[in-house]
Amino acid sequence: MLAIPALLFALPWWTLVGATMAGAAFWIGSAVFLLGYLTLPAAMFLGHGPAQSDPASIIGDTLLGVMWVLFSWSLLGNIAGLGLLVAGVDDPARSRIVAIGVLAVSAALVAYGIAEARRVPRVRTLDVPIRGLGPALDGLRMVVITDTHYAALNRLRWSEKVVEVVNSLEPDIACHAGDLADGSVAKRHPQVDPLGKIEAPLGRFYITGNHEYFGDAQGWVDHMASLGWQPMLNRHETLTRGGDRLVMAGINDPTGTSLPGHGPDLKAALAGANPADPVVLLAHQPRQVADASAAGVALQISGHTHGGQIWPFHYLVRLEQPVVAGLSWHGGTQLYTSRGTGFWGPQLRVFAPSEITVLTLRSA
């Protein structure tokens, strides 16, 4: 709670204040950074801890995002400063050039990141060949949203626009791959309720993500069911069209082990399914593909990574997950990892645009 903010603030402080300012400016700049350092952990605790304060959450999340951008570009700026040193540029000019560059780039990226996070996501389309898919199901359209993270910022109008886009894509199947909301059903349901207007004749399927288990997971499962979505809690449905069949399955997030009966169980999810039918599996985290591959799943659909959300965080995500975004092969199983439809925490997306995904299944 204290060490990470110290790291995030120390390097930008040195880059923007310590190496460039003197006298009153130095002390004022240092006081601003000290205030930010004390505010960040306090706001994050008040916002995401037991108090669940929405104003504190907005302050803490925004400060976290801004400082991550400043930290990343301060690091790059100081590396560039070494190049200026080799080129013969001495201080104080060198440090001031670095500071101005870091501040200008960071300000531009924060402004861009806010606009990118708050916009209605772009539509990404992809054909996915599925082994064993019958001709009657060739061309089946699956529209995927995930990681909406409805939270302290009221995004009701954004939610309504997302639904309009999804319906305009005329999906056969609609999927939500988890991390629906942060907070209780009572506080967040107005933002979630528009999802009940999504139309998909072969079904609307929802799985839990890890963030459901930081709050009222069962409450969200029940609420999505009340909106007409099918919660896929370690279960499957066999879909038919023209005599051809597709197994649509879902498993819980690994975080669900914290709640009795909510841990992931792929064996239970596929119990009773015809082994000759191709399986499409909803599993929130990409790393769950190891079990999916062992079970012979044709396609796994995941979210969770946000594509890193704020560059260069994707390098840290990659330490935990086998892939950050896009379509990849894992043994005989294809994995599609969405960059997510919304955002978590900081209302920033830098070089990791959100998406609404159309996966068109093709007979392989």
Side-chain angles (χ1 to χ4, degrees):
M1 290 291 287
L2 296 177
I4 292 176
L7 181 63
L8 285 177
F9 279 86
L11 183 59
W13 169 83
W14 171 254
T15 304
L16 302 179
V17 178
T20 61
M21 296 182 181
F26 172 85
W27 292 109
I28 293 172
S30 297
V32 170
F33 272 86
L34 179 61
L35 178 62
Y37 167 68
L38 297 175
T39 299
L40 178 57
M44 293 297 284
F45 178 75
L46 291 172
H48 297 284
Q52 293 288 298
S53 166
D54 283 354
S57 174
I58 293 171
I59 292 170
D61 292 344
T62 302
L63 188 55
L64 176 64
V66 170
M67 291 313 301
W68 174 254
V69 173
L70 273 174
F71 172 83
S72 301
W73 289 91
S74 293
L75 180 61
L76 293 174
N78 281 284
I79 293 173
L82 295 177
L84 293 175
L85 177 63
V86 172
V89 180
D90 295 325
D91 270 336
R94 183 178 71 251
S95 294
R96 288 173 180 169
I97 291 171
V98 169
I100 292 171
V102 167
L103 193 59
V105 170
S106 297
L109 287 177
V110 167
Y112 155 76
I114 291 173
E116 189 65 43
R118 295 180 68 89
R119 62 164 293 154
V120 176
R122 298 169 181 86
V123 175
R124 187 177 187 191
T125 61
L126 194 68
D127 284 359
V128 183
I130 301 294
R131 66 181 186 273
L133 188 71
L137 291 168
D138 184 76
L140 183 143
R141 292 166 62 83
M142 303 181 65
V143 174
V144 179
I145 60 175
T146 183
D147 298 279
T148 43
H149 287 283
Y150 296 110
L153 286 168
N154 189 343
R155 288 182 287 146
L156 173 59
R157 183 60 187 139
W158 178 88
S159 184
E160 291 171 341
K161 289 181 178 179
V162 166
V163 170
E164 290 174 7
V165 172
V166 171
N167 283 337
S168 73
L169 297 170
E170 299 181 341
D172 297 301
I173 296 172
C175 305
H176 193 301
D179 279 4
L180 174 67
D182 291 280
S184 67
V185 175
K187 290 179 71 173
R188 308 298 184 220
H189 80 84
Q191 298 180 63
V192 173
D193 288 351
L195 298 183
K197 297 178 182 178
I198 288 178
E199 299 173 356
L202 291 183
R204 297 175 292 176
F205 302 98
Y206 159 72
I207 58 167
T208 55
N210 55 309
H211 277 249
E212 276 85 346
Y213 295 104
F214 300 154
D216 182 14
Q218 189 59 52
W220 282 117
V221 168
D222 295 340
H223 188 70
M224 287 295 277
S226 75
L227 296 177
W229 287 71
Q230 298 182 55
M232 304 301 283
L233 303 182
N234 298 325
R235 58 182 292 269
H236 75 271
E237 292 277 344
T238 300
L239 310 180
T240 61
R241 188 162 72 181
D244 292 325
R245 296 188 302 271
L246 174 72
V247 173
M248 193 72 200
I251 55 175
N252 298 337
D253 187 80
T255 317
T257 55
S258 62
L259 193 65
H262 274 256
D265 190 340
L266 183 55
K267 184 177 180 180
L270 298 179
N274 188 334
D277 296 339
V279 176
V280 174
L281 175 70
L282 298 178
H284 182 64
Q285 298 195 36
R287 63 189 174 96
Q288 293 175 276
V289 76
D291 291 336
S293 180
V297 167
L299 171 66
Q300 175 177 312
I301 298 171
S302 299
H304 186 64
T305 68
H306 299 205
Q309 188 165 319
I310 307 176
W311 188 92
F313 196 77
H314 66 286
Y315 290 114
L316 297 180
V317 174
R318 189 63 180 80
L319 297 176
E320 185 196 27
Q321 301 294 335
V323 66
V324 174
L327 189 66
S328 56
W329 280 94
H330 302 264
T333 296
Q334 293 183 88
L335 166 66
Y336 185 79
T337 305
S338 168
R339 290 186 299 252
T341 310
F343 58 85
W344 176 84
Q347 54 176 318
L348 296 171
R349 272 189 174 269
V350 178
F351 308 145
S354 56
E355 65 180 79
I356 296 170
T357 317
V358 182
L359 300 179
T360 303
L361 306 189
R362 296 296 183 185
S363 298

